[in-house]
Amino acid sequence: MRRICLALPTNRSCLPAISALHDEAVYAVSHFDVEVHLLVLDSCGPAVSEQHAAAVRALPATPGVVAHHLDEAAQRDFLRRAIDESGVEKPELVLDLMLPRAVSYGACTNRAFLVAAALGCESVHRRDSDSRYQVVAGEAGRAVAAGQSVPAGSSVAAGQSGQSGQSGQSGPAGQAVADGPVGGTSPAGDTARPVFPIHHELLALGRPAGDAAADVTETDLDAEHAGKPVSMVGSSFVGEMSVDIEEMRRLDPGAYHDVVGLWAPFDWSAEQKREFADDSFRGAGTEPFHHDHSTLTHVDPMRVDMCNIAFHGVHESVPLLPATDTIGSDYFLIHLVHDATLPGVLHNRNIVNFYTPERRTGPGFTAYQLRFAKFFLSMLYLNFVYDRMERAGASLLDERNQVRTDAIVELLWESSRLDQAENVQRLDVLDDAYRRLGGKYAEFADLLAGSRERLLDEARRDIEEFAVLTEVWPALVGGARATDPGLLQRQPDRRP
């Protein structure tokens, strides 16, 4: 029996997401020979964190599903023990990189990777607290996503959580599937069932690509890769953009393209950057789920999102960028899997993305825009590393088809020595575009202008600290495995 970790890092109230995650865990144990460790890594304040803990304790008893809720105090205690077991130098620095005081999308997922190792889980399946599952409504294959109108006579509401433990019949790859817990029932007896990504993840993850080919709709992979393990299974999202910048696009499309184009490699043409900007942060658009489709391939990093992803093996060789207050700091492994020629599966069980209101006004707006600006500055270093990884290709793997950690460390340190002139230009473009946008954007430009040197220094330090963490990552994973998992807060396993 496989043991897997279904992880939800959160820093916001998300009781519906916890319930829905449990529904997905129940689906997994109902359809696959797995034990699911449902993991809520909670960075909320005490009141909200206790609500989450109570919700986890109250989850229905389900054989094969083991629920864990770890607040930051429990996470810190676990990390100290794992770091002590690892024997790494500078343990306090490593602890700060794993559990920084500020928001870090990469660090929270790195903690999930280590907890999963301690629990003996071979794969990590990550979801986000500001997203929900699509549901199949009525006839199999017809779906309703958040924000869409519901057919007459149906009481379906996208994102409803169902009654755990009920399941339907799974179909072969490529066939519409209406499985999982019931989310709603119409007067005519039609049901609404969540579309769980874990269906495709467990069909393929960790298997040799040649074997996994039997359970996907199509294969776009050369035979030379048949013996490599499927290291990532993912999809994207429908609904609102993954980065909250639609208002910017409406106010001034030109400024929008100038800003979003900063994500692209600096030597691209203006037209390439414009096309890239048009395709960025939009996920799978607005098309709802109709029927299953999956492709065994080298997955394009632009086609998947971290709210809908699962990793096998690779996350124990290389961590994610632990940069704080930086959007996109958790996407490194998506690029690494592709560039190292590891097989993956791209499917279409897209998750519904939505926004919470705090990022659009006052301090929330300022904090969010700062994270966005720091994302662009990180790309000086990351685009360099991505380019070198793509050139290196399969040479990044050892004889067991595992990523060579030392090869990645070398590239990270090399990138840290890059000239910062490109980032100075990025800040110039941001300043000009935000002043053209006016209002609160112009006010943010004033803040940015007074923080230029600090932001440039932080971007370089972020990549240096990523190199430091990557150097010790295999030892940390080993330390986590040696840590007594019984000390983690948990509900008892009720499997007979």
Side-chain angles (χ1 to χ4, degrees):
M1 178 186 297
R2 283 186 288 172
R3 185 177 294 175
I4 70 168
C5 178
L6 181 58
L8 180 71
T10 185
N11 64 349
R12 61 171 64 87
S13 178
C14 62
L15 295 175
I18 292 172
S19 176
L21 193 74
H22 185 255
D23 290 343
E24 186 170 25
V26 171
Y27 175 90
V29 300
S30 300
H31 292 77
F32 298 89
D33 186 23
V34 293
E35 177 181 277
V36 180
H37 286 258
L38 185 159
L39 174 65
V40 179
L41 290 178
D42 201 332
S43 294
C44 297
V48 173
S49 182
E50 179 49 40
Q51 290 176 353
H52 291 162
V56 170
R57 290 192 296 267
L59 290 172
T62 305
V65 176
V66 186
H68 309 260
H69 173 271
L70 299 181
D71 62 16
E72 285 209 343
Q75 293 175 53
R76 184 174 290 104
D77 178 65
F78 162 74
L79 289 170
R80 286 192 183 280
R81 287 185 279 112
I83 291 169
D84 287 346
E85 288 282 357
S86 73
V88 301
E89 297 181 3
K90 300 181 179 179
E92 290 303 317
L93 171 61
V94 173
L95 180 61
D96 286 344
L97 296 179
M98 290 300 303
L99 189 58
R101 291 182 177 87
V103 171
S104 174
Y105 302 100
C108 69
T109 310
N110 287 339
R111 297 196 294 274
F113 292 159
L114 292 190
V115 173
L119 293 170
C121 298
E122 66 177 63
S123 58
V124 176
H125 309 246
R126 189 186 122 165
R127 306 292 182 256
D128 280 358
S129 57
D130 56 353
S131 57
R132 62 173 68 94
Y133 303 102
Q134 292 193 72
V135 295
V136 174
E139 297 176 1
R142 187 158 54 87
V144 177
Q148 289 194 299
S149 60
V150 178
S154 173
S155 62
V156 176
Q160 282 183 292
S161 65
Q163 297 177 356
S164 299
Q166 301 181 30
S167 62
Q169 298 296 316
S170 58
Q175 180 178 322
V177 178
D179 274 352
V182 175
T185 305
S186 74
D190 291 342
T191 58
R193 299 181 175 91
V195 181
F196 291 129
I198 207 162
H199 176 84
H200 288 292
E201 293 168 353
L202 293 180
L203 280 175
L205 204 59
R207 299 172 65 190
D211 295 343
D215 290 307
V216 296
T217 310
E218 62 177 326
T219 298
D220 181 19
L221 200 67
D222 292 340
E224 66 184 283
H225 304 293
K228 297 176 182 176
V230 175
S231 300
M232 182 180 78
V233 178
S235 188
S236 190
F237 60 90
V238 294
E240 301 191 74
M241 297 173 69
S242 60
V243 177
D244 193 355
I245 52 175
E246 180 62 28
E247 180 186 62
M248 183 187 298
R249 189 190 66 80
R250 291 197 308 268
L251 288 172
D252 188 333
Y256 173 88
H257 283 102
D258 290 345
V259 169
V260 179
L262 294 174
W263 183 19
F266 221 66
D267 58 354
W268 281 14
S269 69
E271 182 58 30
Q272 285 176 307
K273 290 179 180 178
R274 186 177 186 85
E275 292 176 358
F276 186 75
D278 286 337
D279 194 38
S280 294
F281 310 126
R282 298 190 175 278
T286 58
E287 181 67 20
F289 177 86
H290 293 291
H291 60 273
D292 275 303
H293 188 278
S294 56
T295 304
L296 179 66
T297 185
H298 297 305
V299 177
D300 181 349
M302 292 288 286
R303 304 275 76 85
V304 293
D305 192 87
M306 284 295 290
C307 69
N308 193 349
I309 203 79
F311 296 108
H312 182 280
V314 65
H315 63 287
E316 296 189 341
S317 298
V318 176
L320 296 169
L321 174 68
T324 59
D325 295 321
T326 305
I327 287 170
S329 62
D330 52 351
Y331 279 77
F332 191 83
L333 293 184
I334 291 174
H335 290 266
L336 176 57
V337 169
H338 173 272
D339 295 343
T341 71
L342 287 169
V345 170
L346 175 65
H347 64 87
N348 67 336
R349 292 194 171 199
N350 298 303
I351 280 176
V352 182
N353 184 57
F354 63 89
Y355 294 140
T356 51
E358 74 277 357
R359 67 184 67 173
R360 291 180 170 173
T361 57
F365 173 83
T366 300
Y368 193 79
Q369 294 301 318
L370 183 63
R371 294 171 193 170
F372 195 37
K374 290 188 65 175
F375 162 68
F376 292 125
L377 297 181
S378 74
M379 296 317 299
L380 166 65
Y381 307 102
L382 292 177
N383 278 336
F384 173 89
V385 176
Y386 296 157
D387 176 71
R388 295 302 189 273
M389 290 196 309
E390 189 170 25
R391 294 185 193 183
S395 69
L396 295 172
L397 305 177
D398 63 19
E399 66 281 357
R400 298 171 296 167
N401 289 316
Q402 295 179 351
V403 173
R404 294 191 300 112
T405 306
D406 61 332
I408 305 304
V409 170
E410 183 178 345
L411 293 177
L412 293 173
W413 280 120
E414 186 179 355
S415 76
S416 73
R417 296 187 286 272
L418 291 171
D419 189 278
Q420 292 180 313
E422 285 186 10
N423 271 352
V424 171
Q425 294 180 57
R426 283 184 171 93
L427 289 173
D428 290 342
V429 171
L430 287 173
D431 183 84
D432 176 70
Y434 277 63
R435 294 191 189 283
R436 278 186 280 148
L437 287 163
K440 61 185 179 182
Y441 292 94
E443 292 176 7
F444 178 74
D446 291 338
L447 184 151
L448 205 59
S451 308
R452 289 171 70 100
E453 292 306 314
R454 175 178 63 82
L455 293 174
L456 291 170
D457 291 343
E458 284 182 3
R460 185 188 297 279
R461 186 169 66 249
D462 286 343
I463 204 70
E464 292 171 344
E465 291 178 341
F466 188 22
V468 169
L469 184 62
T470 305
E471 284 179 327
V472 301
W473 189 248
L476 284 177
V477 172
R481 286 204 187 102
T483 301
D484 181 2
L487 297 176
L488 292 168
Q489 181 181 339
R490 58 177 283 172
Q491 286 186 353
D493 186 354
R494 299 179 177 90
R495 181 183 289 274

